[in-house]
Amino acid sequence: MNNSKQPAAATLSIWGGETEHELYERSTQVPVVHSVSFAYKDIDTWQNVALGNEPGHIYSRNTNPTVRTFEDKLKVLEGAEAATSFSSGMAAISNTFGALLSPGDRIISIKDSYGGTNKLFTEFLPPLGIEVSLCDTTDHSELEAEIAGGCKMLYLETPTNPTVKIVDIQRLAKAAKAVGALVVVDNTFASPINCNPLALGADIVIHSASKYLGGHADALGGIACGSAALIKKLYHYREINGAALAPMDAYSLLRGMKTLSLRVERQNQSAMTIANWLTQHPAVEQVNYPGLESHLHHDIAKRQMHGFGGMLSFSVKGGLEAIKVFLPKLQYAHMAANLGCVETVVGPPVVTSHVECTAAERAAAGIPEGLVRYSTGIEDVDDLLADLEQALAYIE
Ligand SMILES: *Cc1c(COP(=O)(O)O)cnc(C)c1O
């Protein structure tokens, strides 16, 4: 029995946020409110709502009832005071930087961040006068030394893409607090079911809702959760800059999240089984999965995660040529640049996350040309294993 005051994640992914508002015409499901604006019968009420002195909505770029419910659900799942949503995960990340960083500030992060985030670090932040320092993801001492030199923000992502390295949030958040820096964590790969960065010392947790939260690869969205004061700044930046989440997408994400906990639990289990199976396969060279004892950061993962996640990667003998033969033979996997959905999705970093790098740059990032990123779906795990076996037989 769950005797703690806070309901478990399985309950919150269903009920979270949904009981806080009166539902339209006694509907049990959150309605999709497509209206761009909200009309008032008298100026006083309108003014009170506009000033934030009374609950209500004015214009959907700012707030919208369907979108609000999505924000409230994430807020309770991440144990945050507040949450605000965005049109995509990248909008959540770029708006967080836009709202909190100024010319002259320094941001410290890791080399293995998501491709789009890395582009912000290398292409878009430096011309704004923001200094970016990217450290070796596996070297926590280097990160601590860099942080001790002072910074405005520490930006982390764990597990990383595509080699599923684990970054110690608690340890690095402590270093960041010592210099008064804000800690932002992209929790997309773990989902709120497997990790809660705010409880480990982060100030803001970000998700690409397009992945595990929605879970069905049919809606783009992003979210940031944190203290009321910080989220107010992000909300204000977003309401003016306009990267608002669409009501229909908010609905699809809410619908998907009802099964978030079920899906992620299944994906955790299946990924563990598949990772173990792959380590025994003669055509497989290397398997990256934080649940394996051989994983460099297995101990950190055990400490900070409730489950090891559905993401793994592995390299096959014969490199890229072998992948070109083997991946198209998979019957139960999309070859696509996506992850975290009910279907299994595979893609080599050569054409997905690291398409713009040279072979030498990929090698330097520890990404063999024959690496496959595998996002475990919720199919029957024996079917997934049989599928891998028949496909790998073509390159043995
Ligand atoms: C997909 C992804 C993003 C970007 O999210 P979008 O919704 O595609 O903009 C950011 N971080 C991580 C870890 C991701 O996987």
Side-chain angles (χ1 to χ4, degrees):
M1 213 162 99
N2 174 26
N3 286 319
S4 66
K5 275 220 170 67
Q6 170 83 341
T11 308
L12 291 177
S13 41
I14 294 168
W15 288 102
E18 307 219 0
T19 49
E20 290 173 30
H21 321 283
E22 204 172 307
L23 293 179
Y24 181 70
E25 295 278 6
R26 301 184 190 277
S27 64
T28 61
Q29 301 307 309
V30 175
V32 191
V33 181
H34 285 293
S35 191
V36 164
S37 64
F38 300 83
Y40 291 86
K41 295 253 189 278
D42 68 278
I43 302 290
D44 288 341
T45 312
W46 188 4
Q47 189 177 36
N48 280 334
V49 173
L51 291 171
N53 298 331
E54 244 182 78
H57 306 275
I58 299 289
Y59 191 70
S60 282
R61 171 156 47 74
N62 309 352
T63 67
N64 167 281
T66 317
V67 172
R68 171 63 57 78
T69 307
F70 169 70
E71 294 169 338
D72 285 344
K73 193 182 283 296
L74 254 299
K75 181 181 80 172
V76 296
L77 269 170
E78 285 291 11
E81 255 174 43
T84 194
S85 61
F86 301 87
S87 51
S88 69
M90 281 315 301
I93 296 164
S94 59
N95 280 245
T96 298
F97 294 160
L100 302 175
L101 298 174
S102 312
D105 283 343
R106 191 161 90 109
I107 177 168
I108 295 175
S109 189
I110 52 173
K111 286 195 173 132
D112 289 73
S113 58
Y114 177 74
T117 311
N118 193 259
K119 281 273 173 266
L120 293 179
F121 289 149
T122 55
E123 199 176 322
F124 291 100
L125 292 185
L128 300 176
I130 292 155
E131 190 192 330
V132 181
S133 175
L134 303 181
C135 299
D136 182 337
T137 307
T138 54
D139 192 341
H140 283 73
S141 311
E142 182 196 336
L143 273 156
E144 280 170 334
E146 197 67 22
I147 295 163
C151 61
K152 178 74 189 283
M153 183 184 289
L154 171 67
Y155 184 92
L156 303 174
E157 188 180 318
T158 178
T160 63
N161 186 23
T163 49
V164 286
K165 291 167 188 155
I166 303 295
V167 178
D168 192 331
I169 298 171
Q170 202 157 27
R171 175 172 166 184
L172 297 174
K174 199 169 154 211
K177 293 291 124 178
V179 297
L182 287 169
V183 180
V184 180
V185 178
D186 180 337
N187 199 28
T188 302
F189 266 40
S191 89
I193 304 301
N194 285 333
C195 188
N196 300 113
L198 297 179
L200 299 164
D203 297 294
I204 294 175
V205 55
I206 288 177
H207 288 275
S208 164
S210 328
K211 313 293 172 54
Y212 284 100
L213 297 183
H216 292 71
D218 57 4
L220 282 171
I223 187 104
C225 312
S227 70
L230 279 173
I231 295 303
K232 194 173 166 194
K233 288 187 189 175
L234 301 195
Y235 163 74
H236 182 58
Y237 188 89
R238 189 266 290 157
E239 76 168 324
I240 301 306
N241 284 274
L245 178 61
M248 189 60 217
D249 283 334
Y251 175 79
S252 299
L253 297 170
L254 280 167
R255 164 84 178 250
M257 285 187 67
K258 303 268 169 132
T259 56
L260 177 67
S261 157
L262 271 181
R263 285 187 279 112
V264 172
E265 279 167 27
R266 164 72 78 98
Q267 285 160 324
N268 287 345
Q269 271 175 18
S270 297
M272 188 76 231
T273 305
I274 290 165
N276 271 317
W277 184 87
L278 285 169
T279 59
Q280 305 297 318
H281 198 284
V284 173
E285 272 178 341
Q286 179 198 332
V287 183
N288 305 311
Y289 185 62
L292 295 175
E293 269 170 40
S294 59
H295 188 282
L296 185 60
H297 307 125
H298 178 63
D299 286 343
I300 307 173
K302 255 196 333 203
R303 225 181 313 122
Q304 81 180 10
M305 300 178 79
H306 317 304
F308 298 115
M311 297 303 299
L312 58 106
S313 59
F314 60 96
S315 58
V316 294
K317 290 176 186 154
L320 187 56
E321 289 312 308
I323 283 181
K324 285 182 183 172
V325 173
F326 139 71
L327 284 186
K329 302 289 184 199
L330 286 171
Q331 195 182 347
Y332 302 126
H334 286 302
M335 286 205 288
N338 189 26
L339 61 102
C341 54
V342 290
E343 297 97 0
T344 294
V345 182
V346 294
V350 179
V351 295
T352 56
S353 56
H354 290 69
V355 65
E356 286 170 40
C357 303
T358 63
E361 283 168 340
R362 282 190 288 269
I367 298 167
E369 297 298 282
L371 194 73
V372 175
R373 187 178 76 183
Y374 190 93
S375 169
T376 314
I378 63 167
E379 301 91 343
D380 181 88
V381 70
D382 289 333
D383 289 334
L384 293 180
L385 291 176
D387 198 23
L388 281 165
E389 183 159 41
Q390 63 81 21
L392 284 168
Y394 286 89
I395 58 164
E396 266 176 72

